Amino acid sequence: MLPDPNSLAGPLDPAPEAGWSAAPPRMGFFTDTSVCIGCKACEVACKEWNDVPTSGLDLLGMSYDNTGALTANSWRHVAFVEQPRPAGHRTPPFAGNPTGGTTSPSSAAVGATTADPVGTEPGVPTGSPEAAARMSAGPEFLGMPGAQPPGRATGAESRSDFRWLMMSDVCKHCTHAACLDVCPTGSLFRTEFGTVVVQEDICNGCGYCISACPYGVIDQRKDDGRAWKCTLCYDRIGAGKTPACAQACPTESIQYGPLEELRERAAARVATLHERGVPEARLYGHDSNDGVGGDGAFFLLLDEPEVYGLPPDPVVTTRDLPKMWKRAGVAALVMAAAAVAAFVGGSS
Amino acid sequence: MSSEHPPVGDRFRRFRDGVAAGRDGGAVESAPGGGAATPAGRAGPDDRGWSPGSRRGGRGGEELRVPEAEFVSYYGRPVLKPPVWHWDIAAYLFTGGLAAGSALLAAGGQLTGRPALRQAGRVTALAAVSASTYFLIHDLGRPARFHRMLRVAKLTSPMSMGTWILAAFGPAAGVAAVAEAAPLLPERGVLGLARRVLPPVGHVAGLAAAATAPALATYTGVLLADTAVPSWHEAYPDLPVLFAGSALASGAGVGLLAAPAAQAGPARRMAVAGAALELTAAHRVETRLGLVSEPYHIGRPGLLMRAARVLTAAGAVGAVVGRRSRAVSALAGAALLAGSVAARFGVFYAGVASARDPKYTVVPQRERVERQREAATRSGD
Ligand code: SF4
Ligand code: SF4
């Protein structure tokens, strides 16, 4: 049943493992956030091509990010990190230097409570005001995004140093995808390109994948009940085309191609950036020895992953599944033994 | 787009009002949830239900203060998607366990000649397994597509395994319960034949149900643990034991409620064993996991876990001391059942709370990364 010793965790080529013979090379995304300009063309192109419903129009008080998060109705999400600290390229290396917050405590706290009642209403997942306030730093309230960068409008005394980080987030198409592993209907499947896709005609909306994804990507569409996420444009890449977001990206921040090639390109890009004095550039999700066996969609980041809302060290939950079944087996035996003992031991 | 979606600009207005209120009241000291300001800037247990912000339960209670963790997140938003499961999944956990516990009780009663235990056990098992199937299907985003679960059997999906366990247990429990109706049938004719055939069939079915019962009670621990939800996943060694104990205790509770003192002996011993398992496992979950144990202590999940502890312990004690009193036994049985309900809801909502606060995702992972980094530099030297 489980042929490859790495079938639950560790480096692996997922398409042959899933039973594809003569699979094409694994395809993926490399998202280089150092050139992202936050135009959101990827978000728009994705919605257009994949016919994704609207996420609602609103202002969230999170810099220029009014999408909020990856959800059932947002398969690309551009994150904006706005911080009162020296701009990116002069930022000292992370080591020993705590990362600043992204906004003032009060606006963060309030922003978190403007989220919708239950978890994953398209657009905004519920945040925790305390957590929001805790993570923020810097005394000034940045206010709603205006036409000018915040802090510039009201005179020199209110000016401060800023950095803006922008990052287009997407489903990671994990080598070991927890969503796929736990799906009880077989709706989620591994394509010949090594990507992970939901078949909407099979999904019954059990929601298991949503709790299983270590990145919080896949989500239930509320008025529909089923789970939705990025397909890495399965229809387009099957026809030899580039996914809509990568096609639309004006700065080539989103690059699409064979994963091997992308990994080489990414390593070269990091080296270049380090040479040019951007020591904080680092790759995320490129390592096939990480907790999910490497991501099919990986990133170049300019700060720690959690600054962008990414988990610092995600692990596929099914890595521990054999141990879990073992514990359940032991518990079941103990339970049976206790029941037997209750009836045979004792006189009454 | 869903019809209940708030009108455009609603969130922004809430945000603006919130900021205005916050400015008057001083920095973080106001965090209105949906317009209604809550005291002292804490998001109270408002209409959002089990918000991780509802920390007040932990304040007055015990002194478990994990030092306030320093961490960074993206505007305080959760890294994970909180489970989209509703309370029906917590109810499913309870009814599934109750069905398993009662089926074991019934089989024991059947084999040792205690008809009261057998009857009560079989009837409860059928009722509980029907309820749990209802809850399971009702919670689906597309209930009409329930049968899609039956197109695959996947070892890596505890929900798939659970569906098959339920598919084996349910019919067996059903036949066993129906067999209890045999004495009500007329003695002659076709129904008379049924009257004679049913009891042996019921015996086989009852044993089959009891054989699958431990799997039904414990797989749910894996169901919760096999997720990215921090407080569930990290508790994986203990959740199946907790649920097994809770199932035994609730099954015993049924026996104590239904059986006369002469037949209730095994139910008493089962109550003590179940309560011991449940309390030990719960204690481990609440203390062993560091930061991700915290959601089991604070807020409403914490309250539920404490209630579960008190009720289960009281039920076990009552089961032992009440061996002569039908009333005390019945009270003990009710306490055990209530304790089991509280434990399931407590565990369920503690997990939900842990997924909603990015702290529980980021901090343990960050610590892991730092440890690895340290180890790497040390071995590099
Ligand atoms: S990021 Fe989440 S949704 Fe995407 S493949 Fe990995 S586990 Fe599945
Ligand atoms: S919600 Fe759909 S895709 Fe997700 S695990 Fe359930 S059946 Fe599979």
Side-chain angles (χ1 to χ4, degrees):
Chain A
M1 188 124 199
L2 303 171
D4 195 302
N6 280 357
S7 60
L8 290 179
L12 181 84
D13 190 1
E17 161 74 9
W20 292 97
S21 52
R26 185 176 179 192
M27 303 304 269
F29 283 133
F30 165 45
T31 307
D32 178 354
T33 69
S34 67
V35 294
C36 177
I37 55 170
C39 68
K40 303 191 192 175
C42 48
E43 285 191 16
V44 176
C46 174
K47 285 224 180 207
E48 288 272 347
W49 178 261
N50 293 302
D51 213 2
V52 180
T54 162
S55 333
L57 173 65
D58 244 317
L59 300 172
L60 307 181
M62 293 160 53
S63 185
Y64 283 85
D65 178 4
N66 293 309
T67 307
L70 287 174
T71 65
N73 290 357
S74 303
W75 299 354
R76 273 269 176 194
H77 161 233
V78 181
F80 287 76
V81 177
E82 196 181 281
Q83 286 174 316
R85 51 182 304 213
H89 290 201
R90 285 185 302 281
T91 308
F94 181 80
N97 178 26
T99 311
T102 46
T103 181
S104 81
S106 65
S107 72
V110 174
T113 52
T114 45
D116 279 298
V118 267
T120 53
E121 165 82 355
V124 205
T126 305
S128 142
E130 283 165 323
R134 238 182 355 247
M135 67 91 195
S136 64
E140 69 267 82
F141 168 53
L142 304 179
M144 300 303 298
Q148 288 182 306
R152 295 262 174 89
T154 46
E157 71 286 354
S158 68
R159 248 176 238 165
S160 58
D161 277 333
F162 265 87
R163 67 167 183 179
W164 261 354
L165 304 178
M166 286 154 272
M167 176 232 183
S168 179
D169 197 6
V170 71
C171 168
K172 316 299 179 290
H173 296 278
C174 312
T175 302
H176 298 287
C179 61
L180 189 158
D181 283 346
V182 304
C183 176
T185 64
S187 160
L188 276 152
F189 80 110
R190 179 78 61 181
T191 72
E192 65 271 39
F193 303 104
T195 57
V196 180
V197 176
V198 195
Q199 304 171 75
E200 65 260 28
D201 51 341
I202 291 179
C203 173
N204 67 10
C206 75
Y208 206 0
C209 51
I210 294 155
S211 303
C213 171
Y215 297 95
V217 170
I218 193 166
D219 184 27
Q220 191 174 45
R221 189 172 289 165
K222 261 197 153 181
D223 47 3
D224 163 295
R226 290 172 295 176
W228 298 85
K229 74 172 190 72
C230 159
T231 66
L232 216 138
C233 285
Y234 190 37
D235 49 350
R236 291 176 65 98
I237 67 176
K241 298 258 184 296
T242 302
C245 55
Q247 181 86 50
C249 179
T251 63
E252 291 187 346
S253 171
I254 302 175
Q255 302 174 26
Y256 162 78
L259 198 57
E260 279 311 312
E261 201 186 306
L262 291 178
R263 282 181 178 155
E264 282 164 28
R265 230 189 278 170
R269 174 71 183 157
V270 172
T272 313
L273 284 174
H274 285 179
E275 239 167 66
R276 292 195 194 154
V278 192
E280 62 272 24
R282 86 261 338 253
L283 295 180
Y284 176 78
H286 63 297
D287 182 2
S288 53
N289 287 308
D290 70 10
V292 296
D295 293 330
F298 66 103
F299 301 81
L300 186 154
L301 304 179
L302 295 176
D303 204 338
E304 295 292 345
E306 57 264 40
V307 173
Y308 299 89
L310 296 166
D313 184 26
V315 172
V316 58
T317 180
T318 35
R319 186 191 67 183
D320 299 325
L321 189 58
K323 280 184 272 174
M324 295 181 205
W325 281 130
K326 231 172 267 167
R327 290 296 297 188
V330 171
L333 286 179
V334 169
M335 184 178 174
V340 171
F343 277 93
V344 299
S347 47
S348 59
Chain B
M1 194 165 168
S2 85
S3 48
E4 335 86 90
H5 198 277
V8 168
D10 186 52
R11 275 192 221 113
F12 170 63
R13 275 187 293 278
R14 272 191 273 157
F15 176 76
R16 192 190 48 196
D17 297 348
V19 169
R23 301 237 104 177
D24 301 340
V28 200
E29 286 311 295
S30 177
T38 44
R42 317 232 151 251
D46 54 14
D47 54 332
R48 292 191 292 133
W50 307 85
S51 108
S54 38
R55 295 273 152 78
R56 281 175 297 194
R59 284 282 143 81
E62 50 216 84
E63 282 312 304
L64 177 114
R65 291 318 291 168
V66 180
E68 207 49 87
E70 286 288 325
F71 77 108
V72 181
S73 73
Y74 184 68
Y75 296 93
R77 284 180 190 251
V79 172
L80 305 171
K81 291 272 176 285
V84 291
W85 296 331
H86 303 286
W87 65 270
D88 8 18
I89 290 299
Y92 164 74
L93 298 176
F94 167 68
T95 47
L98 176 63
S102 325
L104 284 174
L105 187 81
Q110 165 191 330
L111 292 176
T112 59
R114 291 179 169 93
L117 290 185
R118 188 197 69 214
Q119 263 164 19
R122 284 183 179 178
V123 172
T124 312
L126 175 60
V129 78
S130 310
S132 77
T133 311
Y134 167 79
F135 287 131
L136 191 62
I137 295 177
H138 185 250
D139 196 70
L140 295 178
R142 286 285 175 103
R145 289 186 175 183
F146 174 72
H147 63 280
R148 299 281 159 87
M149 300 264 193
L150 304 172
R151 62 191 282 281
V152 287
K154 265 170 90 172
L155 256 183
T156 59
S157 173
M159 194 180 285
S160 169
M161 291 289 103
T163 308
W164 289 105
I165 293 171
L166 207 58
F169 178 91
V175 171
V178 167
E180 287 302 322
L184 306 177
L185 295 175
E187 306 226 357
R188 259 171 295 163
V190 189
L191 289 177
L193 185 69
R195 186 187 162 111
R196 261 166 292 133
V197 172
L198 268 181
V201 172
H203 276 248
V204 176
L207 294 180
T212 34
L216 179 66
T218 53
Y219 101 85
T220 45
V222 184
L223 179 78
L224 293 193
D226 194 27
T227 59
V229 175
S231 293
W232 288 344
H233 180 87
E234 296 306 321
Y236 75 80
D238 304 314
L239 284 185
V241 182
L242 202 169
F243 288 176
S246 180
L248 280 175
S250 59
V254 170
L256 289 173
L257 275 170
Q263 291 183 33
R268 293 182 207 291
R269 291 186 286 277
M270 216 163 113
V272 173
L277 281 178
E278 183 186 329
L279 292 174
T280 326
H283 180 74
R284 282 170 56 88
V285 166
E286 287 168 8
T287 52
R288 215 180 41 86
L289 311 178
L291 181 65
V292 296
S293 276
E294 192 184 62
Y296 291 102
H297 292 270
I298 58 179
R300 277 195 256 182
L303 216 62
L304 284 166
M305 293 305 284
R306 285 192 290 279
R309 187 157 61 214
V310 171
L311 286 166
T312 305
V317 171
V320 175
V321 302
R323 58 176 69 247
R324 269 176 200 63
S325 156
R326 189 76 203 262
V328 175
S329 293
L331 266 181
L336 287 169
L337 284 166
S340 180
V341 173
R344 307 306 176 110
F345 277 76
V347 169
F348 181 80
Y349 284 110
V352 173
S354 78
R356 280 195 162 172
D357 191 333
K359 174 170 76 170
Y360 302 114
T361 312
V362 171
V363 174
Q365 292 191 18
R366 171 55 50 203
E367 284 170 0
R368 196 159 65 213
V369 170
E370 297 303 335
R371 271 201 307 276
Q372 280 161 5
R373 228 175 248 177
E374 247 165 60
T377 34
R378 230 180 291 127
S379 66
D381 290 343

